[in-house]
Amino acid sequence: MGIETVEEHRCFGGLQGVYRHQSEATATPMTFSVFVPPGHETGPRPILWYLSGLTCTWENATIKGQFQKTAAELGLIVVCADTSPRGTDLPSEHDSFDFGSGAGFYVDATRSPGRSIIAWRAM
């Protein structure tokens, strides 16, 4: 599975898209959004990676953050990622809302169980 386009919309002269890919790190589908400003064809643009916090997905910043107008004016690409796999039935997933699936902790664990609990890697 490559990158699947979920939706795309023109926004402040740029393009706001939502995409999905199969994550090698989590072995689950992961969804993210990308705002590409107008004029991106003329050369490289800076990229801001927004990693939402606790229980947040790409939707939190993309829909509620209202950053697109400013990003368009600054020529800034903004990537908003979901920060953890969802629906994986992880061991701690049902014990607490702040750990496991949907939690917003960034872990770079190299050994289990931390490695499989919350591991997100950019494509």
Side-chain angles (χ1 to χ4, degrees), residues 23-72:
S23 171
E24 183 181 305
T26 65
T28 63
M30 299 292 283
T31 306
F32 61 98
S33 75
V34 179
F35 175 76
V36 179
H40 69 278
E41 307 87 357
T42 61
R45 297 284 182 244
I47 299 175
L48 171 72
W49 286 83
Y50 183 89
L51 301 176
S52 268
L54 190 59
T55 70
C56 296
T57 71
W58 61 269
E59 291 179 295
N60 197 47
T62 303
I63 294 171
K64 298 175 189 173
Q66 301 180 5
F67 63 80
Q68 292 86 351
K69 182 176 187 244
T70 301

Side-chain angles (χ1 to χ4, degrees), residues 107-116 118-119:
V107 176
D108 61 358
T110 59
R111 290 183 279 168
S112 291
R115 179 177 168 174
S116 63
I118 304 171

Side-chain angles (χ1 to χ4, degrees), residues 26 28-30 51-58 60 81-94 96-107 116-120:
T26 65
T28 63
M30 299 292 283
L51 301 176
S52 268
L54 190 59
T55 70
C56 296
T57 71
W58 61 269
N60 197 47
D82 194 347
T83 56
S84 69
R86 298 182 184 271
T88 58
D89 203 28
L90 297 169
S92 60
E93 184 168 9
H94 307 289
S96 176
F97 75 92
D98 61 349
F99 192 72
S101 180
F105 297 106
Y106 310 109
V107 176
S116 63
I117 290 175
I118 304 171
W120 184 87

